[in-house]
């Protein structure tokens, strides 16, 4: 049921490309070994990635680039999902992880990033917004598993 981070992302790539269509470039970048696991449910992580990618696609109006950059530091697995779309409006930035906050004109409930924040913090991780014009991203950090028996935690 649980997979390594690399397996999860590789298996998601075709599905993510289907979500974003042919006018958006999807780039996956894996820096380092990335063989360890994290203390997180793979289904939840998949939903979080799907949500952020779908949000990015909507913000870019179906044209641009989405990059998922993964790496590890001494204690954490880090994933940065960035896109070439416009920055998130300033009046939403401080509330982006609150329920029912959305910048979409149509569709969306404003719950995706709130649920991502709640889940990731419950795992001892975090999600942070990086909001720059033509480079918006979300940095997800999760503690790495230390025990060999925990390496399949995702």
């Amino acid at each position: 049921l649980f997979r390594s981070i690399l397996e999860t992302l590789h298996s998601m790539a075709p599905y993510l490309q289907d979500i974003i269509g042919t006018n958006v470039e999807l780039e996956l970048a894996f820096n380092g070994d990335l063989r360890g696991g994290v203390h997180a449910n793979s289904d939840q992580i998949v939903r979080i990635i799907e949500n952020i990618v779908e949000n990015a696609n909507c913000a870019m109006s179906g044209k641009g680039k989405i990059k998922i950059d993964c790496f590890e530091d001494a204690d954490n697995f880090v994933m940065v999902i960035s896109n070439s779309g416009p920055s998130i409006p300033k009046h939403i930035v401080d509330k982006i992880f609150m329920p029912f906050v959305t910048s979409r004109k149509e569709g969306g409930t404003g719950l995706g990033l709130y649920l991502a924040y709640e889940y990731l913090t419950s795992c001892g991780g975090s999600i942070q917004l990086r909001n720059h014009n033509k480079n918006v991203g979300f940095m997800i950090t999760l503690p790495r598993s230390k025990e060999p028996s925990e390496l399949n935690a995702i």
Side-chain angles (χ1 to χ4, degrees):
L1 182 63
F2 295 107
R3 292 179 264 188
S4 75
I5 294 164
L6 285 176
E7 289 172 350
T8 298
L9 288 168
H10 279 295
S11 69
M12 286 185 73
Y15 172 69
L16 293 174
Q17 193 66 60
D18 285 345
I19 290 174
I20 60 179
T22 57
N23 292 327
V24 175
E25 178 187 351
L26 177 64
E27 179 184 343
L28 300 177
F30 304 108
N31 301 300
D33 193 11
L34 299 178
R35 291 185 190 213
V38 296
H39 294 286
N41 180 288
S42 62
D43 291 338
Q44 293 288 351
I45 299 303
V46 165
R47 280 189 206 107
I48 289 168
I49 295 167
E50 287 173 352
N51 179 263
I52 293 172
V53 167
E54 187 175 335
N55 287 349
N57 190 47
C58 288
M60 296 186 308
S61 300
K63 296 177 185 170
K65 180 178 180 177
I66 296 172
K67 181 177 181 182
I68 302 176
D69 189 17
C70 303
F71 58 94
E72 292 176 317
D73 63 23
D75 300 313
N76 299 297
F77 167 78
V78 181
M79 178 187 314
V80 179
I81 305 172
S82 58
N83 69 77
S84 60
S87 61
I88 293 172
K90 290 181 183 177
H91 70 279
I92 294 176
V93 169
D94 292 336
K95 301 182 270 186
I96 196 74
F97 298 113
M98 295 175 70
F100 310 112
V101 173
T102 183
S103 61
R104 291 189 194 184
K105 294 178 178 144
E106 291 182 20
T109 61
L111 289 174
L113 290 174
Y114 164 72
L115 293 173
Y117 175 85
E118 290 294 314
Y119 179 73
L120 292 167
T121 56
S122 77
C123 295
S126 65
I127 182 170
Q128 299 172 345
L129 170 65
R130 294 178 166 184
N131 195 38
H132 307 287
N133 191 32
K134 300 295 180 192
N135 187 5
V136 175
F138 289 90
M139 184 170 70
I140 295 169
T141 304
L142 286 164
R144 290 175 52 201
S145 298
K146 302 288 187 215
E147 301 296 321
S149 63
E150 296 175 330
L151 292 181
N152 292 326
I154 185 170

